[in-house]
Amino acid sequence: MARKTNPLTNTEVKQAKPRDKEYSLVDGEGLSLRIKPTGSKTWVFNYYRPHSKKRANISFGIYPDVSLAKARERRRDARQLIAEDIDPKLHREEKQRQQQNENSKTLAHVVEQWFAIKQIQITPSYADDIIRSLRNHVLPKLGKWPLHQISAPVVIDALQPLAKSGKLEAVKRVTQR
């Protein structure tokens, strides 16, 4: 039978002092606060992996950046994932990988890949014209933006100075490219 533990209080968490060895304060249902000899306090959730039934730990962050209430909320979410046969650690890693993948696809990166293919199909002078217009008018303002964050209003704002200077033909060509 599982041992009954008393939930931690904010005061206990705040007043926990480092010792010679690392130790844990248990909140219950797998959540504990690890206090290291250096004084750092880390929230850790201990659980059984859904498919292999092996023990695993997942960190929820460092106290006081992650409060007791936030750690309990993350524990609740992790337990919900386990109930759905999803490993919380693998789920978090997959989300981080997707986020990195989305953020690595910046407009500048995609323009360079697209231009490498396009350059072969057109004359060198036209290729220079295309890349020059993009580098002068689009990439300085939007080059570092991830593609999924670029919307029509953002592009319009970026091309507004070009339009205000009366270069409407240049605006048309840049938008086509």
Side-chain angles (χ1 to χ4, degrees):
M1 188 165 135
R3 192 170 20 143
K4 184 75 175 161
T5 58
N6 292 328
L8 293 172
T9 64
N10 283 323
T11 307
E12 288 176 319
V13 171
K14 189 183 292 185
Q15 292 179 350
K17 301 287 183 214
R19 298 180 186 163
D20 292 338
K21 292 184 179 180
E22 183 178 300
Y23 71 101
S24 296
L25 296 176
V26 179
D27 186 55
E29 296 181 7
L31 182 65
S32 61
L33 180 69
R34 273 204 192 132
I35 297 108
K36 298 187 178 181
T38 60
S40 69
K41 302 173 184 179
T42 308
W43 293 108
V44 178
F45 177 64
N46 192 306
Y47 67 99
Y48 285 103
R49 291 185 184 259
H51 299 291
S52 66
K53 302 298 181 203
K54 291 185 178 181
R55 298 294 283 173
N57 290 328
I58 185 171
S59 172
F60 288 157
I62 298 173
Y63 179 83
D65 297 340
V66 178
S67 66
L68 175 60
K70 187 68 174 171
R72 286 177 176 162
E73 182 182 322
R74 290 181 182 177
R75 172 189 61 194
R76 185 176 25 82
D77 295 342
R79 289 179 65 84
Q80 194 171 12
L81 287 171
I82 292 168
E84 297 170 6
D85 281 341
I86 299 171
D87 188 336
K89 196 173 198 174
L90 296 177
H91 179 73
R92 181 169 71 179
E93 289 170 359
E94 181 61 30
K95 280 176 58 176
Q96 287 173 346
R97 204 173 9 261
Q98 285 176 348
Q99 188 68 30
Q100 281 180 337
N101 191 23
E102 287 176 0
N103 289 338
S104 69
K105 292 180 183 173
T106 62
L107 183 63
H109 181 72
V110 173
V111 164
E112 294 301 325
Q113 288 179 333
W114 170 80
F115 186 69
I117 297 167
K118 185 73 173 171
Q119 190 174 13
I120 298 167
Q121 304 166 354
I122 56 178
T123 64
S125 62
Y126 184 49
D128 290 342
D129 185 43
I130 288 174
I131 199 67
R132 187 179 333 104
S133 67
L134 291 174
R135 285 184 179 152
N136 289 340
H137 305 298
V138 177
L139 295 181
K141 295 173 185 137
L142 301 176
K144 294 182 180 175
W145 283 55
L147 281 181
H148 68 279
Q149 292 181 355
I150 298 175
S151 61
V154 171
V155 175
I156 290 169
D157 287 345
L159 295 177
Q160 204 69 6
L162 191 60
K164 285 182 180 177
S165 67
K167 299 177 181 175
L168 299 178
E169 186 63 30
V171 172
K172 179 182 170 188
R173 288 183 185 185
V174 168
T175 55
Q176 286 174 343
R177 293 170 181 160

